[in-house]
């Protein structure tokens, strides 16, 4: 079965900043590359932090206005470290959270959600930056065509994985919703099919109306039968 990985959806040509880059250079790089954040890397391209538009805006918000008016009321105070920042290394957020190319889409999405971040630099076994993955990148599998999803379920899930007879289960997919109809031999097969279908990239949900010939999930009417 096809399971998308970070390597398949990440951006490989990553705009970065050095720790010594001035904040004006960072601002220009963000605008020129049309990104909202830059990994800050050392001389070996090892990520050591992240500097974002939000970091720059937070610092800008703390600066006094040209007319000398005070900082806007109701805004959070900006710490002295942020106010004194002059370079990407001064302003960057640390420690930097990273992902690996072989991570699955689902686990990476959960990691982003749990940590409350929008993007992750991707590093290889040596800790070298090889890409960056964002929330929008992780949504790409949702864009899979319905016919591609159906083909994978029929060929991989029902055929290769479960080795089911072709035609026993009918599969239709619309807007990522999988509908299963037809019949199977044993009732216990139905939740297995549902679970495997849900693991296919691009599947939103699974609806089934499958019939079964043998109810192997029914309780044994003879308690002693299972011990004989």
């Amino acid at each position: 079965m096809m399971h998308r990985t970070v390597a398949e959806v990440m951006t490989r040509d990553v705009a970065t900043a050095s720790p010594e880059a001035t904040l004006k250079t960072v601002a220009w790089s963000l605008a020129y590359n049309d990104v909202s954040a830059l990994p800050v890397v050392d001389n070996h391209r090892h990520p050591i932090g992240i500097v974002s538009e939000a970091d720059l805006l937070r610092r800008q918000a703390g600066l006094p206005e040209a007319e000398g008016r005070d900082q806007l009321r109701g805004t959070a105070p900006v710490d002295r470290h942020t106010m004194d920042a002059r370079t990407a290394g001064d302003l960057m957020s640390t420690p930097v959270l990273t992902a690996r190319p072989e991570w699955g889409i689902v686990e990476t999405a959960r990691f982003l959600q749990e940590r409350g971040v929008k993007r992750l630099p991707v590093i290889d076994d040596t800790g070298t930056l090889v890409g960056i993955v964002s929330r929008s990148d992780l949504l790409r599998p949702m864009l899979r065509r319905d016919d591609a999803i159906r083909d994978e379920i029929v060929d991989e899930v029902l055929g290769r994985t479960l080795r089911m007879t072709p035609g026993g289960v009918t599969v239709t997919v619309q807007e990522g919703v999988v509908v299963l109809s037809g019949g199977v031999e044993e009732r216990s097969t139905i939740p297995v099919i549902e679970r495997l279908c849900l693991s296919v990239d691009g599947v939103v949900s699974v609806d089934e109306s499958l019939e079964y010939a043998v109810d192997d999930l029914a309780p044994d009417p003879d308690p002693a039968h299972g011990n004989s």
Side-chain angles (χ1 to χ4, degrees), residues 130-215:
V130 294
I132 192 165
V133 63
S134 66
R135 291 176 178 176
S136 60
D137 295 327
L138 298 177
L139 289 176
R140 290 183 191 175
M142 297 289 290
L143 303 179
R144 290 187 76 194
R145 301 189 318 275
D146 288 337
D147 58 347
I149 296 172
R150 180 191 177 280
D151 290 346
E152 183 174 342
I153 291 174
V154 172
D155 297 338
E156 299 293 330
V157 174
L158 302 180
R160 189 168 302 175
T161 302
L162 297 178
R163 300 185 181 280
M164 297 181 63
T165 302
V169 175
T170 300
V171 181
T172 60
V173 183
Q174 185 171 5
E175 296 294 316
V177 177
V178 177
V179 178
L180 306 172
S181 58
V184 296
E185 181 64 24
E186 298 175 330
R187 182 183 177 189
S188 60
T189 306
I190 297 176
V192 175
I193 296 174
E194 286 186 273
R195 186 167 61 252
L196 290 175
C197 287
L198 284 170
S199 71
V200 172
D201 290 327
V203 171
V204 176
S205 62
V206 177
D207 296 331
E208 63 84 12
S209 57
L210 295 170
E211 299 178 351
Y212 50 86
V214 178
D215 187 358

Side-chain angles (χ1 to χ4, degrees), residues 14 22 30 68 88 118 131 178 180 201 219:
V14 185
T22 67
L30 289 169
K118 296 180 180 180
V178 177
L180 306 172
D201 290 327

Side-chain angles (χ1 to χ4, degrees), residues 71-151:
Q71 186 176 334
L72 290 175
R73 294 180 180 178
T75 58
V78 180
D79 61 73
R80 176 52 55 185
H81 175 76
T82 299
M83 289 295 301
D84 291 341
R86 296 293 180 268
T87 65
D90 295 335
L91 192 61
M92 67 184 184
S93 300
T94 59
V96 59
L97 300 174
T98 59
R100 299 296 296 273
E102 67 272 15
W103 282 11
I105 295 299
V106 174
E107 67 175 310
T108 306
R110 287 174 180 164
F111 188 80
L112 282 170
Q113 183 68 22
E114 290 169 358
R115 300 306 179 94
V117 294
K118 296 180 180 180
R119 66 196 68 81
L120 293 170
V122 184
I123 59 172
D124 62 14
D125 291 337
T126 68
T128 303
L129 182 73
V130 294
I132 192 165
V133 63
S134 66
R135 291 176 178 176
S136 60
D137 295 327
L138 298 177
L139 289 176
R140 290 183 191 175
M142 297 289 290
L143 303 179
R144 290 187 76 194
R145 301 189 318 275
D146 288 337
D147 58 347
I149 296 172
R150 180 191 177 280
D151 290 346

Side-chain angles (χ1 to χ4, degrees), residues 25-48:
T25 298
V26 170
W28 273 109
S29 184
L30 289 169
Y32 178 80
N33 293 285
D34 194 24
V35 294
S36 59
L38 300 172
V40 182
V41 298
D42 62 18
N43 292 333
H44 303 287
R45 279 187 69 80
H46 295 165
I48 59 175

Side-chain angles (χ1 to χ4, degrees), residues 220-228:
D220 191 338
D222 183 359
H225 180 72
N227 299 321
S228 59

